[in-house]
Amino acid sequence: MTDSPSPKPMRVSRISLAQMMQPEHANNLGNVHGGWIMKLVDEAGALACMRHSQCRVVTVAIDSMSFRHPIKTSDLVILNAEVTYTGNTSIEAEVQVIAENPLTGQRWQTNTAYLLYVALDDHAKPTKVPPVFAETIEEERKIAEAKERQQRRLKERK
Ligand SMILES: CC(C)(COP(=O)(O)OP(=O)(O)OC[C@H]1O[C@@H](n2cnc3c(N)ncnc32)[C@H](O)[C@@H]1OP(=O)(O)O)[C@@H](O)C(=O)NCCC(=O)NCCS
């Protein structure tokens, strides 16, 4: 492994993806299949971590996800992701999922998910990631909460 890369502010990793839901994304009730949303969440989280680390990443853990509102086909799904924790080789992303009716402009947050990734080098071995740092009080709070989540995951892993 090489020396530690330089720290980066949380804002560097921030990304936003938007996708229109289509009939092929529906479950039997006509709402969007939860598994499809989970796939998009994983992609958004991975992109934020790649943007932060400038490495390929693999998903190691996904915290529990609860959906507070159904998403309908024809809704726009918006995923906002950012890096909230960095360890040595591990990175956490927070992903917020927002559904929007593009005809009325009505928006609602359906869930927030936390995912843990590991950065890999060109030989697919875990590699050091730049430490993330906060520039606002809100970001400081997010980083402190993310540290606690990672401690909990590591305890559960044992
Ligand atoms: C990711 C992977 C390469 C890590 O290899 P490993 O030998 O477990 O490496 P380590 O034990 O050193 O873990 C690497 C980092 O992940 C963290 N980690 C590993 N498992 C974890 C878990 N369940 N929860 C939280 N953190 C975890 C470690 O604490 C370590 O963090 P640090 O470097 O920041 O201190 C390996 O587990 C792997 O290939 N997993 C499959 C990933 C994958 O294919 N995902 C897609 C699923 S289809």
Side-chain angles (χ1 to χ4, degrees):
M1 252 183 238
T2 53
D3 291 341
S4 288
S6 303
K8 289 186 183 174
M10 191 189 267
R11 70 180 147 78
V12 166
S13 65
R14 214 161 271 152
I15 61 133
S16 189
L17 301 182
Q19 191 173 1
M20 192 78 173
M21 292 297 103
Q22 305 284 353
E24 66 262 30
H25 302 134
N27 61 20
N28 293 338
L29 297 170
N31 297 323
V32 173
H33 200 287
W36 184 258
I37 300 298
M38 287 163 73
K39 176 182 178 293
L40 293 178
V41 163
D42 190 20
E43 280 174 9
L47 283 171
C49 291
M50 286 170 75
R51 181 175 255 183
H52 175 86
S53 64
Q54 297 182 291
C55 290
R56 286 176 299 153
V57 299
V58 282
T59 316
V60 173
I62 302 180
D63 290 3
S64 70
M65 269 193 228
S66 339
F67 296 97
R68 286 193 288 272
H69 301 279
I71 301 175
K72 301 205 171 354
T73 55
S74 80
D75 281 345
L76 184 64
V77 171
I78 300 157
L79 301 107
N80 295 322
E82 63 191 6
V83 165
T84 41
Y85 165 87
T86 48
N88 192 29
T89 65
S90 60
I91 322 181
E92 185 196 80
E94 176 189 284
V95 183
Q96 290 187 353
V97 184
I98 294 159
E100 178 181 316
N101 177 331
L103 299 179
T104 63
Q106 191 193 3
R107 274 185 166 212
W108 56 100
Q109 191 170 332
T110 70
N111 65 309
T112 301
Y114 299 97
L115 303 93
L116 205 274
Y117 300 85
V118 166
L120 301 180
D121 65 15
D122 293 342
H123 308 286
K125 298 280 178 238
T127 189
K128 282 187 179 174
V129 296
V132 65
F133 68 87
E135 295 175 304
T136 66
I137 290 170
E138 169 71 358
E139 289 176 359
E140 265 171 28
R141 180 188 62 75
K142 286 191 176 194
I143 288 177
E145 289 177 1
K147 255 185 210 150
E148 285 175 17
R149 274 192 299 277
Q150 177 62 355
Q151 280 164 3
R152 267 204 303 277
R153 288 186 200 105
L154 292 177
K155 250 192 214 160
E156 283 163 16
R157 187 193 183 196
K158 282 182 194 157

